[in-house]
Amino acid sequence: MSGAKNRMRNKKMRDQPGNVTYSSPGWRNGGDTPAGRTGEAQHVKGHGLPHQGGGWVRGHQSGGSVYPQELPKYITSSYFARARAAEVKAMLKAVNKRTGSCHTFGALPKHMRRRAMSHNTKRLPTRLREGAQRMLEKSLLTGKKKEESKAKSRKARRRHGNLLLEFNRRQRKNMWLETHIWHAKRFHMLKKWGYCLGDRPTFKCYRACYRAMSSHCLLQDLSYYCCVELQGPEEELLSALSRLTSKDAGPTFAAVQCLSGRRQGSVVLYGSDQYPAQPLGPVLFLWRPRCEGSTDRQLWIWGHPTLKQDLLSELRAVCQCSEAVLPVPVHVPVPEPTPAGAAEAAAIPPKGPAQKQASSRKRKRAEQDSDGLPAKKIFGDGTRSPTCPVTWKSALTGIVINDLTMEIVRYRLIGPLSHSVLTEALCPATDCDVEAKNRQSCFWWPEHSKQEQNMALHREQTDVFQLLKGVYSSTEIPGGSVLGLTVDDPRLTLPRMRCKAEPDLQQAIGVDEEKRRALTLQGVPEHCCQSALWDRNVRDNATDNKITEKELNRMRSELLVPGSCLKPTPPQGRVPVLLVHQPGKQLGQEMPSWGAGWDLLLPKGWGMPFWVPLVYRGVRVAGLQMSAKHSQHKGAPHFPHDYPDCIAGARFQDEQQAELMNKFTRRPPGKRTNYIKHGCLAPFRCPWQQLVEEWVEIVKETGEGSDAQTGVETDGVPPRRFSVLRSRKVMRQLSVWCKPSSSKGQRLQRAPQPASLCPATAASLWASHGHSLVWARFSLLAKGRPELHAMVCVPTDEDLRLLSKEPRCMGPQEPLHVDHFRKRVKSARKGKKKKGGKAKGASEEQVVGSDGVAEKPDSTSDPSQRPTEQPSSVPALTQNQEVVSTPSRTSDGDTDATPASVAPSAPAPAPATEERLVLGLWPEPLPSVTSHCSRVTLGWVTQGDFSLAAGCGEALGLVSLTGLLQALLRQPPEQRGLLLLRNPSSLQYRFAKVTIEA
């Protein structure tokens, strides 16, 4: 017999007496104790001896023998009574013990328990019904009884009503765009900024998206951008908004072309009267064209969701709109039955109670929301409370501020053929017949078309829209042009198969050449920029009366020719839209107008009816990742990634640092990059404030600028916060100075040349912009791929001579640094594995986790970490910085001879005891970021990759204005503008050409 059966039997017989003797082998004492044990000493609890015949067997013994029937001659009463007492105790315990639950049903034997007893107490025995009834009433009072099962079947969960309720519930935490379901099936989704947004497709399409941007059309959903509407007198609006902008940074809200409503403008907003400090971020704005006989204007401001709250607070402050207007509660009226419906209801005989009960079982349950009303799809902001104010007004200035977030759908089409996609997908609205105009209608278009001036304007807008068919590329249209239009429901002309929109040369021949030339030179006329989309009542009417998919499919089924257009157009099938041109790349001389396209503005609820027809015209859909790449190819900063001086940019940098740090610590310690050995102080963030302060100190110590010129604060005054330079005049000066004297096309510039670069002009810039950073673009001269947070450094004279001899050289290489914290972390990790808890040296070691993180010890325990004399913070920009082989002491006190190819790290400061050490990362506070490596640091890269547009590695980043001027002054004129780039995980420097586009 197996050992498991022996152990089970011994467990049952562990309380049996062991001193009962038998007259013959076999069974004795009338019990189950095996033979072969003659004393109590052999009866060990839980261990029994097997039978001599080969173990325990059931039934007859092996060999044909039977159980003996003889009784034992004598027993010991004390042991026998003890064994029987244990058996009685076990039996009483088994009878009285209930199951794991405290319910009354546990008192029943298992063979008498039924699942139906939980809701029908009459199935229980009479003696247990009273207690079960009390427990049932108690559970009903405390609300513990579940009304319905959570684990529904998939068929029930996929019903339209249940699915709609689930979607509405999930939208109360993070807002969904109208294209969310479409994106969720094809994209990797991210929860950012209070939205669920598509980050990148689930299939490989990086190069395909670039080809779409360069040669066809790329589609993006920008409906998550927040829209703020301002209404009031024009003078009051301009006076209030002028406090948030500056003419030094470019055109403002008062630009002539933008103020007329013909152009869309862009501007960087600042705190009230705080320029150049406290920037909020970039915004797009659009004025409504002037109406005859009215001085009030209407303005839309579009901004990123991360700056919405700051933008609203600043606008309310400068416009003095402190009075909040509470939203009016919307009551859904119950429709009264029509006479025909009442007659039909009267003709149907009433159902009896039995019929109602029988039919209610088979009929699907009416899906209702929590308030008892039928569930409806959420359009707009589903996370906002109904009592949250979205309107603020001022009785003093007459300005009204409205929050139109998620009230307007915005799609962006990028590419030279984006106008062809629009002309094929959109069809100008057709006029209503005379009979429809004469009768009263609840739809907006029949009432709007009753006025002849509105129809005359619509015909002119249609003619301008038809002129786009004769345009070869979207770059021919003036940047920022606006065209108002009313179009038919694009679902009515949806093609049966997906096709690719191309320019039609036959239609281009019939276009008036004079009108097309006027469109490309002057843009859209001012009166054609008007649109009914500006009117809230029209937007709400178009949203509420949209044709449902069910009705649309019924109309298609009645067509005689399947796939043909649905005519006539239903009266509710007209939609007001706005077409806004995006200029693309505007600064610089390389790839002008690259990335141009159009923005399509729609009322809410019409997202998917326009999205699917656009996709059927062969566009490529992109997400957040490709939006950043689009900005990188244009050489423009992307918000909030490249705005470190803004509140949203600083918040994004903290989130990015936490994300990269989490990704770094998830890797095993042996697989991590040791950034200390690579000479990288901050691989996950950019210490901009420390950079500008160190460069100001460098200029001060070298004597090239006085305290007044460099803007150095006196003792006791906090240092001034850094800012990004956005002055157009200064940027144009730097753009010319960064070009070498022999650059091509420099003599052909017609603009007045700025003053030449000299110490006097540099000192004047240091005086006014000493704490500023400059946005620049870096192009590698040879192979290489810049990465995020790559260091921008100044080349030495030896590096420039090497480049002049070998133009295709790789560049210098950073010597390997010494990691003074490596042995300390390893010894602490070993100390944790030792037993004993508080050892003799436990106070000197850190508590290290599995991820290699440890608390920092006292600085005096390591000779290499003792405070030493800091070297001069002034780096040598022109002399070669030789690496001296110096001995360094490890944490164990042994001398570690550093080879000639290894550069010792900068002396580490005395660490704080509350900080933690991470293997491979420098602890806080950081040493000098400018002179830590063999090449002086100017700044860091915020975007970097191999550029498909330029055919080489390109990077975008920020550098210190003070350091850039000092580097340019020391470089020869024919090699001016050459810098070095080095990735955080590499020791190789690579030459790069810096370009400042202004």
Side-chain angles (χ1 to χ4, degrees):
M1 183 174 289
S2 64
K5 292 184 178 180
N6 284 329
R7 288 192 298 269
M8 181 177 63
R9 191 172 188 84
N10 292 334
K11 183 178 180 181
K12 290 181 179 179
M13 310 307 300
R14 59 180 178 269
D15 295 325
Q16 297 300 321
N19 61 341
V20 180
T21 59
Y22 284 85
S23 59
S24 63
W27 305 95
R28 45 189 175 167
N29 200 18
D32 297 333
T33 307
R37 294 181 298 178
T38 58
E40 185 180 2
Q42 296 181 0
H43 182 75
V44 183
K45 186 175 182 180
H47 299 278
L49 297 176
H51 192 265
Q52 295 178 357
W56 299 105
V57 294
R58 291 186 179 182
H60 296 278
Q61 298 183 7
S62 58
S65 61
V66 297
Y67 293 116
Q69 302 296 328
E70 300 178 3
L71 296 177
K73 294 182 179 180
Y74 61 92
I75 60 174
T76 304
S77 60
S78 60
Y79 288 102
F80 186 82
R82 185 186 305 173
R84 301 289 80 74
E87 291 180 356
V88 172
K89 181 179 179 182
M91 181 185 64
L92 293 176
K93 184 178 179 181
V95 171
N96 297 328
K97 180 183 177 182
R98 296 182 179 179
T99 56
S101 64
C102 59
H103 292 279
T104 310
F105 320 113
L108 290 173
K110 292 185 179 181
H111 71 279
M112 294 181 62
R113 298 174 191 173
R114 298 293 184 270
R115 188 184 308 169
M117 294 177 180
S118 59
H119 56 81
N120 188 3
T121 56
K122 292 185 178 180
R123 289 182 175 269
L124 285 169
T126 307
R127 60 185 179 85
L128 299 176
R129 290 179 187 175
E130 184 179 358
Q133 188 66 26
R134 288 196 303 266
M135 292 182 60
L136 183 62
E137 294 175 357
K138 183 179 179 181
S139 62
L140 289 176
L141 292 177
T142 56
K144 294 183 179 180
K145 181 179 179 181
K146 294 182 289 185
E147 297 181 359
E148 57 182 1
S149 177
K150 292 185 178 179
K152 296 181 181 179
S153 63
R154 187 179 187 276
K155 182 179 180 181
R157 284 185 279 113
R158 297 300 297 179
R159 289 196 187 110
H160 175 71
N162 294 339
L163 203 61
L164 186 59
L165 288 176
E166 177 66 14
F167 288 166
N168 292 347
R169 182 192 65 81
R170 290 163 61 184
Q171 292 185 63
R172 294 190 179 99
K173 185 176 181 180
N174 292 285
M175 284 181 282
W176 284 9
L177 305 184
E178 295 186 17
T179 58
H180 173 83
I181 302 298
W182 192 94
H183 279 90
K185 297 178 180 179
R186 300 165 178 87
F187 276 68
H188 295 283
M189 307 301 291
L190 288 181
K191 294 181 180 180
K192 299 183 67 174
W193 314 314
Y195 294 84
C196 283
L197 304 175
D199 182 44
R200 64 190 187 280
T202 55
F203 48 89
K204 296 181 179 179
C205 63
Y206 179 80
R207 289 180 177 267
C209 288
Y210 172 75
R211 287 194 298 267
M213 286 188 292
S214 301
S215 58
H216 194 250
C217 183
L218 185 76
L219 179 61
Q220 293 177 337
D221 190 355
L222 298 184
S223 302
Y224 62 91
Y225 266 63
C226 303
C227 180
V228 180
E229 182 184 63
L230 277 72
Q231 294 179 351
E234 180 179 335
E235 295 182 358
E236 295 291 342
L237 289 175
L238 293 178
S239 176
L241 295 174
S242 62
R243 302 177 58 186
L244 304 179
T245 59
S246 175
K247 295 181 180 180
D248 186 40
T252 61
F253 290 98
V256 177
Q257 292 288 342
C258 299
L259 190 60
S260 63
R262 299 181 60 185
R263 299 282 192 276
Q264 176 187 249
S266 61
V267 68
V268 178
L269 297 183
Y270 292 83
S272 179
D273 302 325
Q274 296 293 329
Y275 177 82
Q278 298 183 11
L280 299 179
V283 296
L284 300 173
F285 64 92
L286 181 62
W287 288 93
R288 183 177 185 177
R290 296 181 177 90
C291 299
E292 296 181 1
S294 177
T295 59
D296 289 350
R297 298 296 303 274
Q298 193 172 351
L299 173 67
W300 283 347
I301 300 178
W302 297 80
H304 198 270
T306 55
L307 58 88
K308 173 187 172 182
Q309 298 301 329
D310 300 331
L311 176 61
L312 278 176
S313 60
E314 289 293 337
L315 289 176
R316 291 172 55 190
V318 297
C319 297
Q320 304 178 16
C321 295
S322 57
E323 182 181 354
V325 180
L326 296 179
V328 180
V330 179
H331 299 281
V332 180
V334 179
E336 298 180 358
T338 60
E344 293 177 1
I348 300 176
K351 295 182 179 180
Q355 294 178 349
K356 290 182 179 179
Q357 183 177 4
S359 62
S360 61
R361 294 179 181 176
K362 296 183 179 180
R363 185 181 305 163
K364 291 188 298 183
R365 182 185 55 196
E367 291 81 5
Q368 295 181 351
D369 210 341
S370 59
D371 54 359
L373 298 176
K376 293 184 178 180
K377 186 177 182 180
I378 295 178
F379 291 117
D381 190 356
T383 63
R384 181 185 296 164
S385 174
T387 60
C388 180
V390 294
T391 303
W392 299 267
K393 65 179 182 179
S394 172
L396 182 61
T397 59
I399 299 177
V400 179
I401 300 177
N402 295 318
D403 184 10
L404 300 183
T405 301
M406 298 291 290
E407 293 293 320
I408 300 176
V409 179
R410 186 169 189 138
Y411 294 154
R412 175 160 295 179
L413 292 86
I414 305 171
L417 298 184
S418 55
H419 67 287
S420 300
V421 175
L422 291 175
T423 53
E424 288 196 16
L426 306 181
C427 181
T430 55
D431 193 4
C432 294
D433 54 2
V434 180
E435 183 180 355
K437 291 183 179 180
N438 293 335
R439 64 172 180 263
Q440 190 71 17
S441 177
C442 62
F443 306 121
W444 77 274
W445 178 248
E447 297 296 326
H448 181 80
S449 60
K450 290 180 180 180
Q451 301 180 9
E452 184 59 29
Q453 58 180 359
N454 293 338
M455 296 308 300
L457 176 61
H458 174 67
R459 286 189 289 268
E460 292 185 17
Q461 292 173 343
T462 302
D463 296 339
V464 175
F465 182 73
Q466 297 297 338
L467 291 176
L468 294 178
K469 298 181 179 180
V471 177
Y472 180 74
S473 175
S474 298
T475 59
E476 300 180 16
I477 308 298
S481 298
V482 181
L483 175 61
L485 195 63
T486 302
V487 298
D488 289 337
D489 191 339
R491 294 175 294 177
L492 304 178
T493 58
L494 186 68
R496 298 187 61 181
M497 298 181 62
R498 184 172 178 175
C499 57
K500 189 172 183 180
E502 297 288 350
D504 193 349
L505 299 181
Q506 297 296 333
Q507 294 183 358
I509 295 175
V511 174
D512 190 354
E513 189 64 25
E514 293 295 333
K515 294 183 179 180
R516 190 190 66 82
R517 187 180 296 109
L519 175 64
T520 56
L521 295 179
Q522 302 175 7
V524 181
E526 181 177 348
H527 63 278
C528 292
C529 301
Q530 189 65 258
S531 175
L533 189 65
W534 290 93
D535 192 351
R536 177 187 289 270
N537 297 328
V538 174
R539 295 198 303 266
D540 295 342
N541 189 287
T543 300
D544 297 338
N545 298 311
K546 185 187 68 172
I547 306 176
T548 62
E549 292 290 338
K550 178 181 178 181
E551 182 67 18
L552 196 64
N553 293 332
R554 185 192 63 79
M555 296 169 59
R556 288 172 179 168
S557 64
E558 296 176 355
L559 290 175
L560 296 179
V561 181
S564 59
C565 298
L566 293 173
K567 291 182 181 181
T569 305
Q572 67 270 34
R574 275 81 170 190
V575 189
V577 300
L578 264 177
L579 299 178
V580 183
H581 184 266
Q582 293 298 321
K585 185 177 180 180
Q586 295 178 292
L587 303 178
Q589 300 178 359
E590 300 178 1
M591 298 189 305
S593 300
W594 187 91
W598 289 86
D599 281 8
L600 179 62
L601 277 62
L602 312 165
K604 69 174 181 180
W606 286 90
M608 286 306 297
F610 278 80
W611 182 267
V612 175
L614 291 175
V615 173
Y616 266 60
R617 264 64 183 191
V619 300
R620 177 73 65 170
V621 182
L624 295 177
Q625 186 183 66
M626 195 51 59
S627 180
K629 291 298 179 182
H630 175 243
S631 301
Q632 179 180 345
H633 290 319
K634 289 197 307 181
H638 187 69
F639 189 84
H641 304 62
D642 305 324
Y643 287 79
D645 55 339
C646 299
I647 299 177
R651 191 183 305 115
F652 171 80
Q653 185 174 352
D654 295 339
E655 295 174 357
Q656 186 185 53
Q657 179 185 1
E659 180 181 355
L660 295 177
M661 185 67 182
N662 186 25
K663 182 179 179 181
F664 179 78
T665 54
R666 283 201 307 264
R667 297 177 62 86
K671 300 296 183 180
R672 302 175 189 170
T673 302
N674 194 322
Y675 292 104
I676 298 180
K677 290 187 176 181
H678 287 79
C680 182
L681 293 177
F684 306 142
R685 66 181 181 92
C686 303
W688 303 110
Q689 186 67 29
Q690 183 178 354
L691 176 72
V692 296
E693 290 178 0
E694 289 185 6
W695 270 109
V696 168
E697 291 294 333
I698 289 173
V699 175
K700 179 181 177 181
E701 293 182 10
T702 54
E704 298 183 6
S706 60
D707 291 357
Q709 292 175 336
T710 58
V712 178
E713 290 77 5
T714 58
D715 296 339
V717 179
R720 193 174 67 186
R721 179 171 171 78
F722 73 93
S723 61
V724 177
L725 181 65
R726 297 184 179 92
S727 175
R728 291 290 183 90
K729 181 180 179 181
V730 180
M731 293 288 287
R732 283 193 293 265
Q733 286 183 345
L734 295 175
S735 178
V736 175
W737 290 345
C738 289
K739 298 177 182 178
S741 58
S742 59
S743 61
K744 298 181 180 180
Q746 190 169 355
R747 296 182 181 180
L748 300 178
Q749 297 178 357
R750 298 181 180 179
Q753 295 294 329
S756 60
L757 180 61
C758 61
T761 56
S764 63
L765 291 181
W766 289 332
S768 56
H769 305 285
H771 288 74
S772 297
L773 299 173
V774 182
W775 176 258
R777 180 168 58 92
F778 310 97
S779 302
L780 296 182
L781 302 184
K783 66 177 184 179
R785 176 178 172 270
E787 296 178 358
L788 180 65
H789 297 157
M791 291 170 284
V792 183
C793 304
V794 181
T796 61
D797 294 343
E798 183 64 27
D799 298 337
L800 295 177
R801 286 193 293 267
L802 177 64
L803 180 63
S804 60
K805 294 179 181 179
E806 301 178 10
R808 305 297 297 178
C809 67
M810 297 293 295
Q813 196 168 10
E814 175 72 15
L816 196 65
H817 290 236
V818 175
D819 185 3
H820 297 289
F821 304 97
R822 182 177 181 84
K823 290 189 176 181
R824 189 184 307 259
V825 174
K826 285 189 174 182
S827 61
R829 192 184 304 158
K830 294 179 181 178
K832 183 188 176 183
K833 297 180 181 179
K834 295 180 180 179
K835 297 181 180 180
K838 296 182 180 180
K840 181 179 181 180
S843 59
E844 299 180 1
E845 295 180 352
Q846 304 92 338
V847 180
V848 183
S850 60
D851 57 346
V853 180
E855 295 181 0
K856 295 168 70 174
D858 188 9
S859 59
T860 58
S861 63
D862 189 356
S864 64
Q865 302 297 325
R866 294 173 183 173
T868 57
E869 183 180 358
Q870 295 288 344
S872 176
S873 61
V874 182
L877 298 180
T878 57
Q879 299 178 358
N880 298 334
Q881 299 186 6
E882 298 180 357
V883 181
V884 182
S885 176
T886 56
S888 61
R889 292 193 174 272
T890 61
S891 58
D892 299 336
D894 300 332
T895 302
D896 183 16
T898 306
S901 61
V902 177
S905 300
T913 56
E914 66 272 5
E915 295 291 339
R916 306 179 70 195
L917 285 177
V918 181
L919 185 65
L921 296 180
W922 266 94
E924 295 287 346
L926 298 178
S928 175
V929 296
T930 56
S931 58
H932 179 70
C933 301
S934 60
R935 304 302 187 273
V936 184
T937 304
L938 279 181
W940 291 277
V941 169
T942 57
Q943 298 181 39
D945 202 350
F946 183 85
S947 175
L948 298 176
C952 64
E954 280 196 349
L956 301 172
L958 294 164
V959 295
S960 172
L961 174 63
T962 306
L964 180 63
L965 290 176
Q966 194 171 19
L968 294 177
L969 284 172
R970 298 178 182 273
Q971 289 181 349
E974 64 276 2
Q975 291 183 327
R976 186 168 292 171
L978 291 177
L979 297 178
L980 294 173
L981 291 183
R982 183 166 70 89
N983 292 332
S985 58
S986 174
L987 297 174
Q988 181 67 48
Y989 288 96
R990 300 187 185 276
F991 288 101
K993 178 69 177 65
V994 60
T995 304
I996 298 178
E997 298 175 341

